[in-house]
Amino acid sequence: GSMAFEWVSFIGNPLIALVLSICFAYWSLGLRRGLGMGDLLNLTHRCFPPLAGILLVIGAGGAFNDMLVGSGIGKVLADVLGQSNINPIILAWLIAGLMHFAVGSATVAMISTAGMVLPILGQNPQYSPEILVIAIGAGAIGWTHVTDSAFWVVKEYLGISLSEALKKFTGATVLASVAALVFTLILSRFV
């Protein structure tokens, strides 16, 4: 109830924080360096078109995630895969990869997968929770494609075609994910 808490709550509001950061960026990177308001307007007009598509994809990915969570498909997937005889490390990696592929957000995939893997961890206490967390992270970094904002950032800022981004960037994330899984399996032998 203090005044300091009220100010921190106000400044911490995502919209207020975004407006303050934009104002600071205009001042520190533009006005302070001698650019005029016309120059800042021209820079802004050049920067927004690539960002508009990225923001649209991010918003669509968030809406898709809400549909997946609301439909309960995550719980059904966890129940079905939890009854299989797959190694829990590989299972955590696989669920995280599938969630990232479907949702397009590695963060959302990791959080969703953690909730799905928790019951499996109770059934397999011999596996370290830390190893499963690493496996989830390894799975969530792979399969970056058109539903992921990182994909569009890389595509737009490198100026490459969609097919080239799918071949190179998606391929690289899949390779990194598989390599991380292999190292996680090796690490699980020691931890």
Side-chain angles (χ1 to χ4, degrees):
S2 69
M3 186 59 123
F5 178 77
E6 295 296 325
W7 273 102
V8 169
S9 295
F10 175 75
I11 293 172
N13 179 300
L15 293 176
I16 300 300
L18 184 61
V19 167
L20 290 175
S21 65
I22 289 171
C23 291
F24 180 75
Y26 277 146
W27 173 78
S28 65
L29 300 174
L31 298 174
R32 197 176 108 211
R33 293 180 164 199
L35 294 177
M37 293 302 284
D39 296 327
L40 289 175
L41 182 63
N42 288 335
L43 284 170
T44 303
H45 279 290
R46 281 195 345 229
C47 295
F48 274 142
L51 289 175
I54 294 168
L55 292 175
L56 182 63
V57 169
I58 292 169
F64 184 60
N65 176 55
D66 284 347
M67 288 175 47
L68 283 176
V69 170
S71 69
I73 196 165
K75 181 165 179 8
V76 171
L77 181 65
D79 291 342
V80 169
L81 291 175
Q83 295 173 359
S84 66
N85 291 329
I86 299 175
N87 180 328
I89 296 170
I90 296 173
L91 187 60
W93 176 82
L94 182 63
I95 293 172
L98 290 173
M99 289 300 293
H100 184 208
F101 185 81
V103 175
S105 167
T107 306
V108 172
M110 286 187 283
I111 292 169
S112 302
T113 303
M116 293 179 208
V117 170
L118 188 61
I120 298 168
L121 185 60
Q123 298 167 0
N124 299 285
Q126 70 272 23
Y127 289 98
S128 167
E130 294 83 5
I131 292 294
L132 289 177
V133 167
I134 295 170
I136 290 170
I141 63 171
W143 297 105
T144 302
H145 65 106
V146 295
T147 61
D148 195 329
S149 58
F151 176 87
W152 293 102
V153 169
V154 169
K155 181 204 170 295
E156 291 296 324
Y157 285 106
L158 292 181
I160 57 178
S161 69
L162 181 63
S163 63
E164 194 174 352
L166 282 169
K167 284 183 219 168
K168 293 180 179 174
F169 187 61
T170 303
T173 60
V174 169
L175 181 62
S177 179
V178 171
L181 172 65
V182 169
F183 286 122
T184 304
L185 289 168
I186 292 169
L187 182 63
S188 70
R189 300 285 182 194
F190 303 105
V191 177

